[in-house]
């Protein structure tokens, strides 16, 4: 059995705990080991926080400067109060068999080339969140979609509690 869900969220700080709680609730219900759930929830929090902070118009992710629009992040959507593509990000999670894959996609300027090819050391002023994701997950990929934003995807092998509903046979 597998579980899949996807969220379309505003680039607002309040969206980050929403995504984290949904992931933790899904994994608890499925019977994933709490330590694995915690690691994935911290990695998801870092990826979402990065999308909120850097995923719209402005400089590159992880250290890229302020939004150049008047008033900072702007209202988006042409004044109608609705988010446009730069005011939203997407989170998708797949629990399939013994693996969980999470993907966070934004519509910002993307990662600087050095970030995509080599994550920064954990002591750098910017990029610690990306380093933390890499430490908590089994496999991580940072990539750009030219003209359409950045994608952080990460996988982790799952461990199950005894009596888990979705435990792999």
């Amino acid at each position: 059995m597998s579980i899949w869900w996807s969220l379309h969220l505003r680039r607002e700080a309040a969206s980050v705990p929403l995504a984290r709680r949904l992931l933790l609730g899904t994994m608890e219900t499925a019977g994933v080991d709490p330590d694995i759930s915690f690691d994935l929830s911290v990695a998801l929090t870092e990826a979402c926080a990065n999308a909120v902070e850097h995923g719209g118009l402005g400089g590159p992710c992880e250290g890229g400067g302020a939004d150049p629009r008047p008033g900072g992040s702007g209202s988006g959507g042409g004044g109608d109060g609705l988010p446009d593509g730069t005011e939203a990000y997407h989170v998708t999670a797949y629990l399939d068999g013994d693996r969980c894959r999470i993907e966070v996609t934004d519509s910002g300027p993307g990662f600087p080339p050095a970030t995509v090819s080599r994550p920064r050391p954990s002591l750098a002023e910017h990029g610690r969140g990306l380093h933390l994701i890499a430490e908590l997950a089994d496999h991580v990929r940072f990539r750009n979609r030219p003209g359409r934003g950045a994608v952080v995807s990460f996988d982790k092998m799952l461990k199950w509690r005894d009596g888990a509903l979705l435990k792999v046979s």
Side-chain angles (χ1 to χ4, degrees), residues 29-52:
T29 301
V32 174
D33 178 84
D35 291 337
I36 299 295
S37 297
F38 178 79
D39 288 354
L40 284 168
S41 72
V42 172
L44 175 63
T45 298
E46 293 297 333
C48 290
N50 196 62
V52 167

Side-chain angles (χ1 to χ4, degrees), residues 17-144:
L18 174 67
R20 182 180 59 242
R21 286 184 199 131
L22 181 59
L23 179 67
L24 285 169
T26 300
M27 291 195 295
E28 168 142 0
T29 301
V32 174
D33 178 84
D35 291 337
I36 299 295
S37 297
F38 178 79
D39 288 354
L40 284 168
S41 72
V42 172
L44 175 63
T45 298
E46 293 297 333
C48 290
N50 196 62
V52 167
E53 185 173 350
H54 304 289
L57 295 177
C61 292
E62 285 293 352
D67 189 327
R69 293 176 288 178
S73 63
S75 64
D80 58 9
L82 298 174
D84 63 11
T86 64
E87 293 303 313
Y89 68 102
H90 296 87
V91 177
T92 305
Y94 309 90
L95 279 77
D96 189 24
D98 62 353
R99 181 174 68 104
C100 178
R101 165 165 278 179
I102 298 173
E103 187 170 281
V104 178
T105 306
D106 66 44
S107 36
F111 292 108
T115 299
V116 174
S117 65
R118 171 189 50 81
R120 297 178 191 177
S122 62
L123 298 178
E125 184 173 334
H126 296 286
R128 287 183 296 251
L130 299 180
H131 181 75
L132 186 56
I133 294 167
E135 290 297 315
L136 293 170
D138 295 329
H139 179 263
V140 180
R141 184 171 180 210
F142 306 111
R143 63 184 169 93
N144 290 324

